[in-house]
Amino acid sequence: MNALNQTAAKTSTGLMSILFVALIGATVMFVAGHAQSATLHDAAHDMRHATGFPCH
Amino acid sequence: MIQRMLAGGLIAGFAAGLLGALLHFAFVQELILLGEEYETGALVHFAGVGEGAAEASQDHAEGEAAQGHGDEEDGGSALTRNGLTVLFTGLIYAGYGLLLVAGFALAEHFGRRVEARDGVLWGLAGFAALQLVPAMGLAPELPGSVAADLADRQIWWFGTALATATGLAALAFGRGVMPAVIGGALLAAPHVIGAPLPEGFHGVAPPEVAGEFSARVLGVGFATWAVLGWLAARLWSRDA
């Protein structure tokens, strides 16, 4: 029983960590690639064009 | 678990990003600068006749002022500009790297081990979902070309990336007919809906440059993603 609980706990932490890392990745992609603040846009401009993101 | 993912994704991402930046300066940057010369009017593409030609010459006059301004700050700003491109290319591939290792971890969670040799396929699938397939509707934009409303394009872009990634995963990991049908439908859906298009095609940059630009962007992305996938999976399987 105890072992079962531990497995369940381990599994759910696993999914939470996966979600967490995926969210960081998606956030980085959104901020670097898509956010429309003028400063960010100018700084990331060439990369955005060269990565195929919709730029301006 | 988290440390393994973060470390592997970030290291592989930044390393692949540096390669991406190198390839960017070898193949892509010169075309961006060329496109900008048309965008500012420093160069004028053959603009046809009538109204188009008149507009182009007006742009030219405005563009010369803009170009002059650009020349003054050329020395320092070119360095800053290219430095930022290296930084942001590293950053964007670090983001891709994190998404990729999250995918590895998810596969492993469901009992699929990811070996180093699988990494290239994962990388190419990432390239397809985040660059190649969105580019089928929204070609990489050369400065000086026209496009539809930005928000509409971003929505289509995100929808396409998500549908393509999910569709590929359903095809790769699903068992039986249903996942294949759903996967196929997800791959097709963005193109049935269609990408937002501009009202007319009146870009000032030559289509020859834009075509070359798109092809080079996709080629550089292809190579960088393949290396990213390989590197991320190598780090991932080594740490297992």
Side-chain angles (χ1 to χ4, degrees):
Chain A
M1 185 66 190
N2 202 9
L4 250 181
N5 280 348
Q6 274 183 352
T7 316
K10 208 176 161 191
T11 305
S12 64
T13 326
L15 277 182
M16 285 307 287
S17 341
I18 292 171
L19 191 66
F20 177 70
V21 172
L23 269 179
I24 302 180
T27 307
V28 168
M29 196 176 77
F30 179 78
V31 172
H34 296 267
Q36 281 305 308
S37 108
T39 319
L40 260 180
H41 171 273
D42 291 349
H45 175 269
D46 291 357
M47 179 280 287
R48 288 184 178 189
H49 276 277
T51 318
F53 293 130
C55 192
H56 41 69
Chain B
M1 182 84 168
I2 282 201
Q3 278 159 340
R4 180 184 169 203
M5 280 194 281
L6 285 178
L10 290 176
I11 293 171
F14 272 113
L18 286 183
L19 171 74
L22 196 70
L23 293 173
H24 172 91
F25 289 110
F27 290 100
V28 177
Q29 184 67 12
E30 57 178 317
L31 295 182
I32 291 184
L33 296 176
L34 184 59
E36 282 178 352
E37 292 207 51
Y38 287 98
E39 190 177 36
T40 59
L43 290 175
V44 179
H45 175 231
F46 168 68
V49 290
E51 204 180 324
E55 266 176 29
S57 63
Q58 192 188 349
D59 281 352
H60 185 65
E62 286 166 11
E64 271 173 344
Q67 182 66 16
H69 178 66
D71 283 342
E72 283 166 28
E73 47 183 25
D74 234 21
S77 78
L79 197 64
T80 312
R81 177 178 179 165
N82 292 340
L84 284 169
T85 300
V86 174
L87 184 72
F88 273 91
T89 307
L91 197 60
I92 200 75
Y93 277 97
Y96 293 156
L98 291 177
L99 289 173
L100 213 49
V101 291
F104 295 166
L106 196 63
E108 211 162 272
H109 186 83
F110 289 107
R112 297 280 194 138
R113 288 269 311 130
V114 177
E115 305 291 343
R117 63 170 181 274
D118 305 323
V120 176
L121 281 179
W122 276 83
L124 293 183
F127 166 69
L130 294 177
Q131 287 190 15
L132 180 66
V133 174
M136 287 174 68
L138 299 171
E141 295 158 18
L142 180 71
S145 48
V146 293
D149 177 64
L150 178 67
D152 290 349
R153 281 182 289 143
Q154 288 186 330
I155 290 168
W156 189 87
W157 191 96
F158 272 109
T160 304
L162 199 61
T164 307
T166 317
L168 282 177
L171 284 183
F173 296 112
R175 285 186 199 149
V177 179
M178 270 319 280
V181 171
I182 293 172
L186 281 170
L187 288 179
H191 311 283
V192 175
I193 295 167
L197 289 173
E199 284 174 16
F201 300 105
H202 49 271
V204 292
E208 295 88 339
V209 182
E212 184 71 15
F213 173 77
S214 279
R216 286 188 186 188
V217 161
L218 292 177
V220 166
F222 175 85
T224 311
W225 269 98
V227 170
L228 171 67
W230 175 77
L231 211 52
R234 231 186 114 81
L235 292 174
W236 177 259
S237 59
R238 195 192 58 182
D239 289 348

